[in-house]
């Protein structure tokens, strides 16, 4: 009797929550996963900031802004997103050129436009605009795409990628490239093209290598394996690996990581935050975090596969997979598997506009899922 | 919309997408597994290795210097101690403009202009947060000058540390030695680990020879440091451990020196180039060890400026040179008692039979005249008087019967030609010539031949022979005790500063010289007594309430040609003879044996002997000259008595 009461109360609560989320056009499991990552991130931020509540507060505000944007975008009708796409792309491209031009004239690296109240990074906008545009181009063409379409897509993807890399911002450029490339792959790019692309890449690398001077080769090698330069670029990665390795299975304990707390670890609140997780919370803590990421990605891919509209599912699939690219590049870099590329750990790394972009992406994904029955 | 006639097939596209989404999910999962594998590799397999590295990062070991042992004289007077000293230190990262700061310090006279570059180099070689000493031993005036200008020098401050201090300044400097900054050559031979945290090391003398005992063992403190190497108490949830491993203070040393006697001895030759060694013949204790001029060891302990060092190093009187141990001089007549003992031991002289001295001696079949110091000759003279009057021809003649071989070997038994083995370093061996020595010393064949005439002058301590003052003091101590032979020593005991436990060091007995009967020794000592009673140095013994046995000597700096007279007035001061005197007292139960040399002092009896007498009074009677340091002058050289 009592047991049934409790059960029915739980059931009612769940039903009501589902109704609420439904009316807000949000996916419960995906939202839960994202929220868990964000809370985990704030928890780690408290440690990496040296116990500074102010940092946590600022991080939370940023998170709330992202969440608000996600909610807002969740309410937008897919048709609006689709119509917005070309304008977004063109605007982004123009701003990107302006930023590069300012940087060139001012003889300094430039990534952002100062709008007075906010510093806006056009490359960040392109992380969304490129996959959107690719999906937009492919939405009414027969799939897999024909060579002419592929040529067009290559231009759409490579131009902003190149403009971002020369800023120089290799990490963001890579993410823009991946965002677009994944759309094309999801659209059913034939295996023969994929193989050709891969072989072409290898061939280009080999030919390029033979044209390089020794010092340039040395630079490339140091980039690929920073540990050959233990006092220069290798210092960061070596300290990061020491942090993770010394964490062991259960970690040194929250706030107890000597590598992080004593500042041996560079960029510990931003790009190298994963090393703090590994050091203080150990293998277990790192696995929980990676597990949450994998859950979010797989859930998002599943949602994409439920969509009936080409634009919707290509864009959603790309946003989901790109999210994992972030995670893999960042964790791979911090643990010494990949070269050092400035890519943040999504929703955990402090600062930057990437959190806003990511949450906006998930907002669009949820909107597209909520309207999956409709043709976008 | 279609391109080139193809129609969109929604079902097929749906299927393709589902396949690709599945592939993406598999790839994502596979990459997650790769990350997982990498983490297991780092955090499980290589855990120990990275834990060590992380530990090495966060822990720094900071040395805690142990206080150096204190040095006392034989009566417990402090000769070397550790005193708090004020020094100027600079923290590089807190200094806005290093060059301007250094210039400012030069301007107010706290740094020597000449040392500025050295100071800058030292600062640059240190970590930015380390406090670097840039000027040691500030006096009150320096501190006042800095205090007034302090606001001009952010990052510069006055700190206190323990520094070596020699309360009696120059006194006994050549025995004590000094500590100085660890130099590059020091670094090459020491165990750096032992010296972590120390900035000074014993350079010469007791400070160097007993360095290992005096130094003690530095302690260590483990501190937590951040990536810039700065010590941190707390970071996040980490607290510094502050593990301290205490050091051990160095042992105190009790020397054999008698500070008061040492002082008297130094004051007697304060304006001379001279050396004095006084031994206790019963155990080898060095009661006084003087080499003048000296210098203030405190200068080295606080760090010399270039100018100061140049002044010391280029002084023609060579204050840094330890004449007592390293000065090699012809011993002259001071060895005559030992040569006489050799003659008696080998039966080549009849002590009571008179020898007739005509003022010169010629080897059989040679016209070369070996002159006596007394041109007219001593007339009929026996062994006792030959020693008392220092008759040269007596020994010339005896040496030709003794032969160079036996002469050399006999003198060697008195420690001549070898370092005495005193417990501080740097001692010279001098030269005890022999035909073998000549073969090694000269390259040209014709120079390697030993001539009979060389034996003749060898017998009066001239020619090739050289000795150090400590060798002659040691020789005299052996004569005094009729053959007891102790290695000279400066340190008689160690004391543990914590338990106050004293460890006495046993005197080191060396083999007795294989020489004559006791009555032969007594004959020689009798001759030395006669030196002081009616002999060459009788004036110096006047009024002594104890008996003195002595021997004067003169070391020629300038060789007088055949048939020429030594004209003192005509030669410059630096070419005048060195004055020697060796003696022991009381003759029947000796307590002190002394060797004195005064460079260019001309007369052993007039210059050196009165010095020895005053030291003996001080040691045996505790009778000290009333005039001290303020107006210390050596007795005026007495030119009317001159030997050889």
């Amino acid at each position: 009797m009592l047991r049934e009461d409790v059960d029915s109360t739980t059931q009612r609560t769940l039903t009501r929550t589902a109704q609420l989320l439904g009316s807000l056009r949000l996916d419960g499991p995906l939202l839960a996963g994202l929220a868990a990552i964000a809370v985990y991130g704030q928890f780690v931020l408290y440690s990496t900031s040296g116990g500074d509540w102010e940092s946590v507060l600022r991080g939370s505000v940023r998170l709330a802004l992202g969440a608000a944007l996600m909610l807002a975008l969740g309410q937008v009708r897919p048709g609006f997103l689709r119509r917005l796409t070309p304008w977004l792309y063109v605007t982004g491209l123009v701003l990107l050129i302006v930023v590069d031009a300012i940087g060139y004239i001012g003889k300094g690296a430039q990534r952002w436009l100062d709008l007075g109240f906010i510093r806006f990074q056009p490359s960040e906008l392109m992380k969304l605009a490129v996959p959107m545009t690719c999906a937009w181009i492919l939405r009414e063409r027969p799939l897999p795409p024909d060579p002419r379409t592929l040529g067009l897509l290559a231009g759409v993807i490579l131009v902003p990628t190149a403009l971002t890399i020369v800023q120089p911002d290799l990490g963001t450029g890579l993410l823009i490239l991946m965002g677009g490339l994944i759309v094309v792959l999801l659209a059913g790019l034939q295996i023969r093209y994929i193989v050709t692309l891969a072989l072409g890449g290898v061939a280009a690398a080999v030919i390029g290598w033979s044209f390089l001077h020794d010092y340039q080769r040395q630079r490339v090698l140091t980039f690929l394996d920073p540990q050959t330069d233990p006092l220069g670029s290798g210092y960061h990665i070596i300290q990061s690996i020491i942090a993770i390795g010394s964490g062991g299975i259960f970690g040194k304990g929250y706030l107890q990581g000597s590598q992080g707390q004593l500042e041996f670890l560079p960029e510990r609140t931003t790009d190298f935050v994963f090393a703090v997780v590994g050091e203080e919370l150990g293998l277990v803590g790192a696995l929980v975090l990676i597990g949450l990421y994998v859950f979010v990605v797989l859930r998002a891919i599943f949602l994409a596969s439920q969509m009936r509209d080409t634009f919707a599912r290509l864009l959603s699939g790309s946003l989901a997979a790109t999210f994992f690219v972030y995670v893999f590049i960042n964790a791979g870099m911090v643990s010494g598997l990949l070269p050092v590329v400035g890519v943040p750990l999504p929703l955990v790394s402090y600062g930057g506009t990437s959190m806003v972009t990511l949450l906006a992406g998930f907002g669009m994904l949820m909107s597209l899922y909520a309207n999956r029955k409709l043709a976008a | 919309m279609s391109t080139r006639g193809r129609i969109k097939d929604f079902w097929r596209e749906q299927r393709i997408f589902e396949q690709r989404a599945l592939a993406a999910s598999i790839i994502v999962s596979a990459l997650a597994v790769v990350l997982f594998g990498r983490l297991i590799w780092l955090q499980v397999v290589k855990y120990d290795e990275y834990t060590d590295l992380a530990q090495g990062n966060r822990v720094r070991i900071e040395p805690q210097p142990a206080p150096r042992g204190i040095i006392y004289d034989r009566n417990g007077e402090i000769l070397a101690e550790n005193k708090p000293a004020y020094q100027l230190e600079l923290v590089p990262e807190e200094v806005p403009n290093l060059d301007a700061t250094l210039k400012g310090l030069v301007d107010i006279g706290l740094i020597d202009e000449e040392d500025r570059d050295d100071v800058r180099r030292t600062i640059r070689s240190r970590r930015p947060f380390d406090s670097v000493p840039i000027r040691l031993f500030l006096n009150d005036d320096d501190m006042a000058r800095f205090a007034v200008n302090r606001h001009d020098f952010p990052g510069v401050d006055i700190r206190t540390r323990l520094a070596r201090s020699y309360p009696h300044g120059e006194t006994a400097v050549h025995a004590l030695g000094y500590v100085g900054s660890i130099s590059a050559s020091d670094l090459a031979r020491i165990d750096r680990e032992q010296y972590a945290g120390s900035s000074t090391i014993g350079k010469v003398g007791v400070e160097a020879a007993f360095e290992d005992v005096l130094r003690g063992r530095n302690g260590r403190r483990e501190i937590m440091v951040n990536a810039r190497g700065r010590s941190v108490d707390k970071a996040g949830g980490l607290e510094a451990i502050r593990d301290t491993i205490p050091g051990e203070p160095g042992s105190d040393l009790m020397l054999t020196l008698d500070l008061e006697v040492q002082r008297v001895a130094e004051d007697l030759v304060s304006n001379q180039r001279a050396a004095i060694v006084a031994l206790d013949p019963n155990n080898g204790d060095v009661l006084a060890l003087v080499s003048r001029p000296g210098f203030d060891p405190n200068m080295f302990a606080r760090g010399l400026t270039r100018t100061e060092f140049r002044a010391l190093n280029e002084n023609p009187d060579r204050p840094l040179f330890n004449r007592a141990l390293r000065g090699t001089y012809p011993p002259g007549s001071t060895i005559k008692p030992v040569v006489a003992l050799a003659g008696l031991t080998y039966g080549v002289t009849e002590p009571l039979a008179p020898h007739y001295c005509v003022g010169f001696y010629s080897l059989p079949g040679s016209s070369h005249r070996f002159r006596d110091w007394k041109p007219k000759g001593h007339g009929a003279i026996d062994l006792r008087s030959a020693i008392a009057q220092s008759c040269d021809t007596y020994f010339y003649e005896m040496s030709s019967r003794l032969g160079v071989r036996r002469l050399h070997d006999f003198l060697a038994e008195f420690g001549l030609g070898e370092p005495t083995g005193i417990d501080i370093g740097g001692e010279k061996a001098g030269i005890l010539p022999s035909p073998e020595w000549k073969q090694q010393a000269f390259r040209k064949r014709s120079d390697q031949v030993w001539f009979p005439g060389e034996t003749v002058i060898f017998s009066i301590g001239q020619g090739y022979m050289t000795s150090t003052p400590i060798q002659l003091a040691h020789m005299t101590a052996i004569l005094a005790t009729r053959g007891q032979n102790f290695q000279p020593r400066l340190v008689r005991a160690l004391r543990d500063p914590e338990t106050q436990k004293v460890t006495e060091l046993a005197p080191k007995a060396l083999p007795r010289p294989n020489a004559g009967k006791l009555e032969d020794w007594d004959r020689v000592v009798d001759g030395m007594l006669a030196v002081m009673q009616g002999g060459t140095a009788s004036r110096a013994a006047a009024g002594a309430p104890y008996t003195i046995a002595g021997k004067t000597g003169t070391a020629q700096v300038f060789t007088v040609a055949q048939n020429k007279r030594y004209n003192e007035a005509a030669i410059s001061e630096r070419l005048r003879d060195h004055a020697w005197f060796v003696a022991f007292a009381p003759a029947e139960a000796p307590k002190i044996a002394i060797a004195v040399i005064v460079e260019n002092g001309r007369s052993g009896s007039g210059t050196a002997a009165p010095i020895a007498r005053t030291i003996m009074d001080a040691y045996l009677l505790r009778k000290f000259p009333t005039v001290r340091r303020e107006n210390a002058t050596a007795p005026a050289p007495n030119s009317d008595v001159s030997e050889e």
Side-chain angles (χ1 to χ4, degrees):
Chain A
M1 179 76 180
L2 201 67
R3 173 98 182 251
E4 275 171 30
D5 259 6
V6 173
D7 280 355
S8 62
T9 312
T10 315
Q11 212 165 2
R12 246 180 291 139
T13 314
L14 280 175
T15 317
R16 253 187 240 143
T17 311
Q19 280 170 350
L20 177 70
L21 288 173
S23 66
L24 286 173
R25 301 161 174 250
L26 297 174
D27 177 61
L30 185 59
L31 193 65
L34 289 171
I37 293 171
V39 169
Y40 199 126
Q42 294 302 298
F43 177 69
V44 174
L45 175 60
Y46 178 74
S47 173
T48 54
S49 65
D52 178 20
W53 281 111
E54 206 177 305
S55 299
V56 175
L57 191 68
R58 276 203 300 270
S60 300
V61 167
R62 212 179 292 251
L63 199 62
L65 278 174
L69 189 61
M70 180 174 73
L71 275 175
L73 280 167
Q75 313 312 311
V76 168
R77 302 205 42 99
F80 174 71
L81 286 179
R82 198 190 59 217
R83 283 192 301 277
L84 187 68
T85 299
W87 300 110
L88 210 57
Y89 183 83
V90 171
T91 311
L93 202 60
V94 169
L95 290 178
L96 209 48
I97 291 167
V98 169
V99 167
D100 281 8
I102 292 172
Y104 179 75
I105 294 162
K107 290 196 195 328
Q110 181 103 23
R111 293 177 182 182
W112 38 261
L113 285 173
D114 202 339
L115 302 182
F117 63 99
I118 194 169
R119 282 176 176 177
F120 172 74
Q121 286 190 29
S123 57
E124 208 57 48
L125 177 65
M126 286 318 251
K127 279 189 198 166
L128 292 176
V130 165
M132 283 169 86
T133 309
C134 291
W136 182 77
I137 289 169
L138 289 168
R139 79 190 192 284
E140 284 185 352
R141 295 175 199 237
L143 299 182
D146 58 43
R148 236 185 77 191
T149 315
L150 285 178
L152 176 63
L153 290 169
V156 165
I157 297 168
L158 292 178
V159 170
T161 300
L163 286 173
T164 306
I165 287 177
V166 299
Q167 279 180 351
D169 186 352
L170 183 60
T172 309
L174 222 52
L175 289 169
I176 293 171
L177 176 71
M178 290 307 286
L181 195 62
I182 289 169
V183 172
V184 182
L185 290 172
L186 289 174
L189 183 69
Q190 290 93 329
I191 303 292
R192 63 171 187 277
Y193 285 114
I194 299 176
V195 172
T196 311
L197 207 63
L199 288 179
V202 171
V206 170
I207 293 166
W209 183 254
S210 67
F211 279 102
L212 289 181
H213 289 292
D214 274 347
Y215 75 92
Q216 289 170 319
R217 288 182 182 181
Q218 196 53 49
R219 241 186 251 174
V220 174
L221 287 176
T222 314
F223 170 71
L224 292 176
D225 184 10
Q227 301 194 42
T228 55
D229 181 18
L231 292 176
S233 57
Y235 177 79
H236 290 184
I237 199 66
I238 287 169
Q239 295 304 333
S240 169
I241 289 173
I242 291 174
I244 295 175
S246 62
I249 296 173
F250 299 105
K252 294 176 183 170
Y254 188 55
L255 297 171
Q256 303 285 325
S258 60
Q259 289 286 102
Q261 302 295 345
L262 295 170
E263 297 159 50
F264 290 97
L265 204 56
E267 312 286 337
R268 64 193 165 126
T269 60
T270 53
D271 286 358
F272 282 83
V273 69
F274 186 68
V276 174
V277 173
E279 183 181 29
E280 296 193 348
L281 306 172
L283 181 63
V284 173
L287 278 188
V288 166
L289 186 58
I290 292 175
L292 286 172
Y293 282 125
V294 171
F295 169 77
V296 164
V297 171
L298 294 185
R299 175 72 188 171
I301 291 176
F302 169 76
L303 295 184
S305 69
Q306 298 299 302
M307 298 175 190
R308 292 287 166 264
D309 173 65
T310 306
F311 174 75
R313 66 185 172 210
L314 287 181
L315 176 57
S316 301
S318 169
L319 292 173
T322 312
F323 186 73
F324 188 74
V325 170
Y326 270 94
V327 175
F328 187 75
I329 291 183
N330 179 275
M333 153 183 104
V334 171
S335 63
L337 275 181
L338 299 176
V340 177
V341 178
V343 170
L345 190 64
L347 305 182
V348 175
S349 286
Y350 177 74
T353 41
S354 76
M355 184 181 278
V356 176
T357 322
L358 280 163
L359 287 176
F362 279 107
M364 291 198 285
L365 192 147
M366 289 190 207
S367 152
L368 295 168
Y369 178 68
N371 299 290
R372 63 189 175 279
K373 304 272 163 48
L374 301 170
Chain B
M1 195 164 136
S2 69
T3 33
R4 281 184 280 162
R6 274 173 65 195
I7 305 282
K8 239 176 132 55
D9 177 346
F10 286 98
W11 289 113
R12 181 163 169 261
E13 286 179 17
Q14 173 87 25
R15 224 172 38 248
I16 291 173
F17 185 84
E18 277 167 6
Q19 283 166 5
R20 291 288 160 114
L22 183 66
S25 302
I26 291 169
I27 290 170
V28 164
S29 306
L31 290 178
V33 169
V34 168
L35 278 181
F36 181 41
R38 176 66 177 173
L39 291 177
I40 287 182
W41 172 252
L42 294 178
Q43 299 189 294
V44 180
V45 181
K46 308 259 272 176
Y47 170 69
D48 290 336
E49 183 182 321
Y50 289 122
T51 299
D52 284 352
L53 288 171
Q55 192 67 10
N57 269 346
R58 69 182 277 196
V59 172
R60 189 171 74 212
I61 296 185
E62 212 163 65
Q64 306 276 291
R68 197 173 172 86
I70 294 167
I71 303 179
Y72 298 92
D73 89 330
R74 68 187 298 117
N75 302 313
E77 287 284 333
I78 290 176
L79 300 178
E81 63 188 326
N82 307 307
K83 275 186 138 178
Y86 299 99
Q87 61 188 32
L88 211 54
E89 295 193 2
L90 179 149
V91 182
E93 67 179 1
E94 291 171 12
V95 175
N97 181 344
L98 183 61
D99 286 331
T101 298
L102 290 179
K103 188 178 178 304
L105 290 171
V106 169
D107 289 345
I108 62 168
L110 287 175
I111 297 181
D112 241 30
E113 172 68 49
E114 283 201 341
D115 296 328
R116 179 154 59 154
D117 289 340
D118 289 344
V119 170
R120 186 190 290 114
R121 216 168 301 128
T122 311
I123 294 167
R124 290 265 158 80
S125 70
R126 306 292 277 274
R127 292 172 298 191
F129 50 83
D130 276 340
S131 194
V132 188
I134 52 171
R135 163 73 199 274
L136 309 175
F137 290 87
L138 298 171
N139 59 30
D140 292 346
D141 190 38
D142 294 330
M143 290 203 283
R145 242 176 308 146
F146 180 73
V148 179
N149 296 291
R150 173 174 250 140
H151 57 274
D152 290 335
F153 301 104
V156 181
D157 215 340
I158 293 173
R159 301 270 165 92
T160 323
R161 60 154 197 167
L162 276 185
R164 200 60 159 172
S165 160
Y166 303 94
H168 304 291
E170 289 197 12
T171 306
V173 63
H174 285 289
L176 281 177
Y178 53 86
V179 298
S181 309
I182 298 174
S183 68
S185 59
D186 291 328
L187 280 176
R189 64 184 169 82
I190 59 174
D191 177 3
R192 288 175 188 232
E193 186 92 349
Q194 301 269 334
Y195 282 86
S198 309
S199 57
T200 56
I201 185 170
K203 292 288 189 180
V204 293
V206 169
E207 291 274 29
F210 289 82
E211 169 69 18
D212 290 344
V213 179
L214 287 166
R215 188 182 65 235
R217 205 163 44 80
N218 285 349
R220 291 182 302 158
R221 195 173 64 154
E222 282 189 5
I223 55 171
M224 185 166 82
V225 292
N226 67 13
R228 287 178 299 284
R230 185 195 299 278
S231 167
V232 174
D233 283 328
K234 197 171 178 306
L238 292 171
E239 304 259 0
I241 313 155
R242 289 261 149 92
D243 228 355
T244 305
I245 299 152
E248 262 174 33
S251 284
D252 296 340
L253 295 185
M254 328 287 245
L255 299 195
T256 58
L257 290 179
D258 184 319
L259 177 63
E260 289 191 296
V261 176
Q262 174 80 23
R263 271 209 188 120
V264 167
E266 290 188 7
D267 290 350
L268 288 167
V269 290
S270 59
N271 298 324
Q272 317 270 2
R273 292 177 302 281
I276 302 168
V277 178
L279 298 173
D280 180 339
N282 303 298
N283 50 22
D285 282 3
V286 177
L287 303 170
L289 191 143
V290 176
S291 173
R292 298 294 297 177
F295 57 95
D296 184 354
N298 291 306
M299 293 166 82
F300 283 86
R302 63 152 198 259
L304 287 167
T305 63
R306 279 171 183 243
T307 321
E308 285 171 327
F309 182 74
R310 203 179 307 133
L312 275 180
N313 206 31
E314 291 173 5
N315 184 331
D317 290 342
R318 302 174 70 198
L320 297 175
F321 179 62
N322 188 345
R323 292 172 160 79
L325 264 57
R326 297 174 64 79
T328 53
Y329 308 91
S333 302
T334 57
I335 65 163
K336 280 177 181 166
V338 181
V339 176
L341 187 59
L344 292 171
T345 302
Y346 290 107
V348 297
T349 189
E350 192 53 56
L352 301 175
H355 155 86
Y356 198 82
C357 171
V358 294
F360 66 88
Y361 169 76
S362 292
L363 284 164
S366 162
S367 62
H368 184 92
R369 287 180 169 189
F370 294 97
R371 294 182 301 160
D372 196 277
W373 65 270
K374 197 171 183 181
K376 289 181 295 210
H378 297 277
I381 195 164
D382 64 359
L383 180 107
R384 182 174 182 272
S385 301
I387 295 173
Q389 302 301 329
S390 203
C391 168
D392 293 332
T393 60
Y394 188 96
F395 292 93
Y396 291 157
E397 197 218 17
M398 193 175 80
S399 73
S400 63
R401 288 198 298 276
L402 199 55
V404 63
R405 213 18 321 132
R406 292 196 289 194
L407 185 57
H408 168 273
D409 292 354
F410 197 85
L411 289 171
E413 293 204 58
F414 282 75
L416 299 168
E418 285 294 328
T420 62
I422 186 174
D423 49 359
I424 63 174
E427 203 187 347
K428 281 269 168 67
I431 296 168
L432 189 61
S434 67
E436 292 75 32
W437 169 81
K438 232 192 149 184
Q439 278 181 359
Q440 283 178 2
F442 292 93
R443 196 169 311 154
K444 258 170 72 185
R445 258 229 125 76
S446 57
D447 290 340
Q448 292 178 348
V449 182
W450 182 269
F451 296 103
E454 289 170 342
T455 310
V456 172
I457 54 170
F458 182 15
S459 71
I460 62 155
Q462 300 283 10
Y464 298 116
M465 184 173 182
T466 58
S467 303
T468 61
I470 188 150
Q471 280 177 332
L472 292 193
H474 180 223
M475 175 195 84
T476 309
I478 298 173
L479 280 172
T481 52
R482 278 75 163 172
Q484 278 196 61
N485 183 358
F486 289 96
Q487 195 166 68
R489 60 170 190 169
L490 273 162
V491 178
R492 68 175 178 86
L494 313 178
R495 188 174 68 188
D496 187 304
E498 282 169 343
T499 63
Q500 296 292 310
K501 190 174 157 282
V502 174
T503 311
E504 299 276 352
L505 303 175
K508 190 177 177 199
L510 298 173
R512 282 180 75 92
N514 189 12
K517 304 178 290 289
L518 186 60
E519 64 175 86
D520 294 337
W521 288 88
D522 285 340
R523 265 185 216 291
V524 170
V525 171
D526 201 33
M528 292 175 76
L529 284 165
V531 170
M532 311 307 291
Q533 294 159 9
T536 52
S538 49
R539 206 181 302 188
Y546 49 87
T547 51
I548 306 173
K551 182 72 197 79
T552 54
T554 310
Q556 280 180 8
V557 176
F558 181 74
T559 309
V560 185
Q562 286 278 309
N563 305 319
K564 286 271 171 62
R565 266 191 66 93
Y566 179 92
N567 183 354
E568 209 163 65
I571 54 176
S572 81
E573 195 233 329
R574 297 252 168 191
L575 294 176
R576 289 177 193 159
D577 290 345
H578 299 326
W580 271 118
F581 186 67
V582 299
F584 60 89
E588 54 290 343
K591 287 185 179 158
I592 182 169
I594 299 185
V596 177
I597 185 166
V598 179
E599 287 184 18
N600 315 113
R602 293 189 285 196
S603 158
S605 56
T607 307
I611 292 169
R613 165 70 193 278
T614 313
I615 294 167
M616 285 174 169
D617 280 356
Y619 184 64
L620 297 172
L621 311 175
R622 305 315 284 181
K623 189 178 134 208
F624 301 103
T626 42
V627 183
R628 275 270 177 93
R629 224 160 265 280
E630 297 78 46
N631 185 22
T633 43
N638 189 341
S639 55
D640 58 8
V641 181
S642 121
E643 319 139 75
E644 296 167 5

